[in-house]
Amino acid sequence: MAERKSTPSQDKAQVEVQKVVDEAEERGYIGVPVDPTPKSHYTVAGVIAGEPTPETDPEHARRVRQELDDADRAR
């Protein structure tokens, strides 16, 4: 396993990339689920049961988009 360096990198490119990644994490762009549809809807059992997904049900896709838009506005 690699050890972490005790001093931060002085490479300008790496510092800039880290700054952008930190900002994205702070805003919640990284690590936030994109689709709130339960994962079980994407399984064989879910498909056979007719569980909706944004790819297969236009009304469900509209609800998902609305839910994601509402969550973004609440931030």
Side-chain angles (χ1 to χ4, degrees), residues 3-22:
E3 293 182 26
R4 289 187 173 208
K5 294 180 181 178
S6 59
T7 59
S9 173
Q10 298 301 316
D11 180 22
K12 287 183 181 184
Q14 185 176 1
V15 170
E16 183 65 26
V17 168
Q18 187 62 54
K19 187 170 102 176
V20 171
V21 169
D22 290 344

Side-chain angles (χ1 to χ4, degrees), residues 38-49 51 53:
K39 292 187 186 309
S40 63
H41 290 205
Y42 292 99
T43 64
V44 172
V47 171
I48 291 172
E51 299 292 347
T53 65

Side-chain angles (χ1 to χ4, degrees), residues 39-71:
K39 292 187 186 309
S40 63
H41 290 205
Y42 292 99
T43 64
V44 172
V47 171
I48 291 172
E51 299 292 347
T53 65
E55 296 83 8
T56 60
D57 183 348
E59 180 59 27
H60 182 71
R62 188 195 63 73
R63 285 193 307 267
V64 166
R65 279 193 305 275
Q66 185 65 47
E67 185 178 325
L68 292 172
D69 287 347
D70 291 345

